[in-house]
Amino acid sequence: MNFIESTNFFLRTIAFDFVNPNKEIRLKFRLVPMVHIGSEEYYKDAFEHLNECDKIFFEGADIQGISKITDNYDRLADKLGLVTQDVFDYRSLKEKLIHTDLNQSNSKDKLEALTFMEKIKFNISTPLTLFFASLFISRTVLAKAFMTSSQEYQLAYGTAHDEEGTMENLIMNEREQIIFQHIIKKIGESSAEDQLIGIMYGAGHMKRIARFLIDRFNYTPMNGKYLKVFDV
């Protein structure tokens, strides 16, 4: 299933509710894919969709040195006439938010496990790539990065998301393992409760989170809702 759709006209994400066919399991999950750069309207729509949830598992990797990468998002957004995820109204959801991501403590060993070349990639080459991209970026170029052809190319020639010692493993797999553990704990403690748990995570993580809910706990997706990230 797809959680992001890119065309020559717009980029949009698709949020889904996950419901268990077992009537004794009343706990539901709402997956709301996030993109780091978008329109203010997109983040307002995402907020409204998440505000309906009882609790929200949310991303926010606090990894030493990651700001070298994320600091470029503001520059990219300015170039495109867009904003970054920082405008999302986290404060109004404060009582619902549960951090389910890496922090300075649990990411230290994982950073040290990166190979030498992957540390260069994390600290130097990726930040430089984003910096130079900000000089020439357009909405068309950014939208193309999310198209199916780009995703297939990454799957065919890119680093596997769970290859140990790689930046891809740190940014993708290691973070997903944390949210998987929170899902397991929540289902174990509250499966019979009529609650809606929001999962606010990067769009690139959502397929694996969805597969985890489907394959491990037999959840079914429903109520798909489009959230337009920006017009091209």
Side-chain angles (χ1 to χ4, degrees):
M1 61 188 303
N2 290 326
F3 285 90
I4 193 160
E5 183 179 30
S6 177
T7 74
N8 292 322
F9 306 101
F10 56 76
L11 177 71
R12 63 186 181 184
T13 61
I14 311 166
F16 289 96
D17 289 345
F18 279 72
V19 177
N20 203 296
N22 184 343
K23 300 302 181 183
E24 295 182 1
I25 301 178
R26 303 175 68 196
L27 184 69
K28 299 180 290 293
F29 293 89
R30 173 169 291 175
L31 274 57
V32 181
M34 300 302 294
V35 179
H36 293 304
I37 296 172
S39 66
E40 289 191 31
E41 291 75 17
Y42 163 62
Y43 294 111
K44 289 178 182 177
D45 288 345
F47 173 88
E48 293 298 329
H49 211 43
L50 286 161
N51 195 34
E52 298 173 0
C53 301
D54 297 290
K55 293 292 181 182
I56 301 164
F57 295 164
F58 80 106
E59 66 177 351
D62 183 15
I63 305 171
Q64 184 178 0
I66 201 170
S67 61
K68 296 174 184 176
I69 295 173
T70 57
D71 284 351
N72 287 285
Y73 295 160
D74 287 327
R75 188 180 297 106
L76 288 162
D78 287 342
K79 180 80 171 181
L80 298 171
L82 299 171
V83 296
T84 69
Q85 193 173 329
D86 291 339
V87 306
F88 184 86
D89 190 6
Y90 291 95
R91 183 176 298 179
S92 296
L93 296 175
K94 183 178 179 181
E95 300 304 318
K96 298 182 178 183
L97 294 175
I98 300 171
H99 188 244
T100 54
D101 209 333
L102 291 172
N103 55 42
Q104 291 277 335
S105 177
N106 62 20
S107 66
K108 184 177 180 181
D109 291 343
K110 304 179 193 313
L111 268 175
E112 293 177 352
L114 294 177
T115 66
F116 175 75
M117 291 306 298
E118 290 295 313
K119 288 178 181 177
I120 295 295
K121 182 179 179 181
F122 180 78
N123 290 294
I124 299 176
S125 63
T126 298
L128 281 175
T129 298
L130 288 172
F131 172 77
F132 285 112
S134 70
L135 303 177
F136 308 102
I137 195 71
S138 68
R139 293 193 185 190
T140 300
V141 171
L142 182 58
K144 283 184 177 180
F146 292 95
M147 287 185 175
T148 303
S149 57
S150 294
Q151 296 175 17
E152 290 176 347
Y153 182 89
Q154 175 63 28
L155 287 172
Y157 302 106
T159 305
H161 86 286
D162 58 353
E163 183 178 337
E164 293 188 7
T166 64
M167 176 180 164
E168 188 76 8
N169 179 63
L170 174 67
I171 298 298
M172 301 300 291
N173 178 58
E174 293 291 358
R175 298 170 65 201
E176 290 160 8
Q177 298 309 310
I178 294 174
I179 197 164
F180 291 165
Q181 291 305 312
H182 278 269
I183 290 171
I184 291 170
K185 182 179 179 181
K186 188 64 179 178
I187 292 175
E189 295 175 347
S190 310
S191 64
E193 297 180 16
D194 188 12
Q195 291 187 24
L196 179 60
I197 307 301
I199 297 182
M200 177 188 180
Y201 238 74
H205 298 272
M206 284 301 181
K207 282 189 178 182
R208 283 181 289 274
I209 295 173
R211 289 304 332 167
F212 184 77
L213 286 169
I214 294 168
D215 297 338
R216 179 76 176 264
F217 296 105
N218 200 34
Y219 273 83
T220 301
M222 59 187 302
N223 302 331
K225 178 180 175 62
Y226 288 113
L227 302 175
K228 184 183 288 186
V229 182
F230 60 78
D231 287 311
V232 173

